[in-house]
Amino acid sequence: MSRLILCSDDFAYSPAISAAIVTLAQAGKINAISCMAVMPGWAEDARLLADLPAHVEVGLHLTLTEEAPRTAMPRFAPGGRMPAIDPLTRVARRWATPLDEVAMEISAQFDAFFAAMRRPPDFVDGHQHAHALPGIRDLVLAETVARAPGAWVRDCTDSPLAILLRPFTGKAIGSAWHSRGLRKAAAALGLRTNRGFAGHYDFRGDYAALFPRFLRRPGPMHLVMCHPGAGERAGDSIAAARIVEAKALHRLPIADMAGAEGLAFPA
């Protein structure tokens, strides 16, 4: 039977967000947590992960945009702040990214995950999906093979029909385009990826009403990203949406909804 991986991104973005994510995991509403090991509060927040249900996967949410890096990156992050995703995408398309600095930062974020969790991540992905960009993806795959060979890697592609049945089609097509070829590259290195991907929307409106559309035409290892949270952090443009998502996920009969689409939800 195909299975649903409902993954909350952005653990450690703030203590309130981390606490909200863990509450959802303990309530059986999500079964994967992607962690921002770049964040200053990561080591403290990681303590919340000690008593998760055994089936909840914990992964590394590699962060190469908008935050302060763990390493010195004078060309990539002048002024001590990594670039926003759009300028980074443009630079990566030109193969002009200072990949030596990026490689050191990726390694440092793996180090931070290991230091807090005492084990490799169950999966690896990227904040704003920067892990799929040209040049950067090769570094991410190489580090994953070396440090977490049993992990799977997020692939944002899906079938055109599936994408058309879901909300925010344009963003989903863009993510799929940037991720093209990632699955093949991962497989060549012996790495697995998810098969099926959803979760894009505009962070407005009725999330509970949108959620069933994320489950349509699922893949055999169907990954749905979500961004629940609580509280506010300066600069968090989706703070209100995080609260709406958390409330909706607590309320929705996710296992039943998944089952109706032929998906096992082991939470």
Side-chain angles (χ1 to χ4, degrees), residues 7-12 32-39 42-43 46 49 56-64 70 102-117 119-132 139-148 151-155 223:
C7 179
S8 177
D9 290 354
D10 299 351
F11 183 89
I33 298 174
S34 198
C35 303
M36 301 177 78
V38 75
M39 301 303 294
W42 155 243
L49 302 172
V56 177
E57 295 184 281
V58 178
L60 175 57
H61 199 50
L62 286 168
T63 302
L64 298 170
R70 285 191 166 268
V102 173
M104 292 183 65
E105 179 62 23
I106 290 170
S107 181
Q109 292 184 30
F110 267 88
D111 288 344
F113 186 96
F114 274 84
M117 298 298 293
R119 65 172 180 84
D122 295 315
F123 59 90
V124 176
D125 58 38
H127 187 52
Q128 300 178 319
H129 300 148
H131 73 293
L139 300 176
V140 171
L141 293 176
E143 194 73 11
T144 302
V145 167
R147 308 285 294 277
W152 54 270
V153 178
R154 180 179 295 187
D155 175 31
L223 173 61

Side-chain angles (χ1 to χ4, degrees), residues 19-264:
I21 290 170
V22 167
T23 298
L24 283 165
Q26 291 172 336
K29 296 297 185 174
I30 60 173
N31 58 353
I33 298 174
S34 198
C35 303
M36 301 177 78
V38 75
M39 301 303 294
W42 155 243
E44 181 68 23
D45 286 8
R47 297 178 184 177
L48 299 174
L49 302 172
D51 297 320
L52 290 176
H55 64 263
V56 177
E57 295 184 281
V58 178
L60 175 57
H61 199 50
L62 286 168
T63 302
L64 298 170
T65 57
E66 298 185 347
E67 301 296 335
R70 285 191 166 268
T71 60
M73 305 181 81
R75 289 169 292 155
F76 186 83
R81 184 72 49 177
M82 293 184 280
I85 187 62
D86 288 343
L88 176 57
T89 298
R90 291 192 291 270
V91 170
R93 284 174 178 167
R94 300 196 308 270
W95 287 88
T97 311
L99 294 177
D100 56 336
E101 293 184 359
V102 173
M104 292 183 65
E105 179 62 23
I106 290 170
S107 181
Q109 292 184 30
F110 267 88
D111 288 344
F113 186 96
F114 274 84
M117 298 298 293
R118 305 297 180 186
R119 65 172 180 84
D122 295 315
F123 59 90
V124 176
D125 58 38
H127 187 52
Q128 300 178 319
H129 300 148
H131 73 293
L133 294 175
I136 293 173
R137 75 166 58 175
D138 299 323
L139 300 176
V140 171
L141 293 176
E143 194 73 11
T144 302
V145 167
R147 308 285 294 277
W152 54 270
V153 178
R154 180 179 295 187
D155 175 31
C156 302
T157 62
D158 209 338
S159 73
L161 178 57
I163 290 174
L164 290 173
L165 289 172
R166 302 196 189 118
F168 216 36
T169 301
K171 182 65 173 178
I173 291 172
S175 289
W177 176 256
H178 291 311
S179 293
R180 67 195 188 281
L182 188 150
R183 180 181 300 157
K184 183 177 180 180
L189 296 171
L191 294 171
R192 298 172 296 134
T193 62
N194 54 289
R195 300 293 297 268
F197 180 71
H200 285 298
Y201 76 112
D202 59 1
F203 297 106
R204 295 195 295 267
D206 187 346
Y207 184 79
L210 287 174
F211 187 83
R213 296 174 62 187
F214 298 147
L215 307 182
R216 294 177 182 172
R217 300 283 297 198
M221 183 178 168
H222 190 59
L223 173 61
V224 175
M225 64 176 176
C226 59
H227 299 81
E232 293 187 6
R233 181 196 137 176
D236 184 7
S237 62
I238 65 168
R242 293 185 196 275
I243 296 170
V244 171
E245 285 193 37
K247 291 179 178 178
L249 291 171
H250 274 293
R251 187 171 69 251
L252 289 170
I254 294 169
D256 292 340
M257 297 168 72
E261 298 291 344
L263 290 165

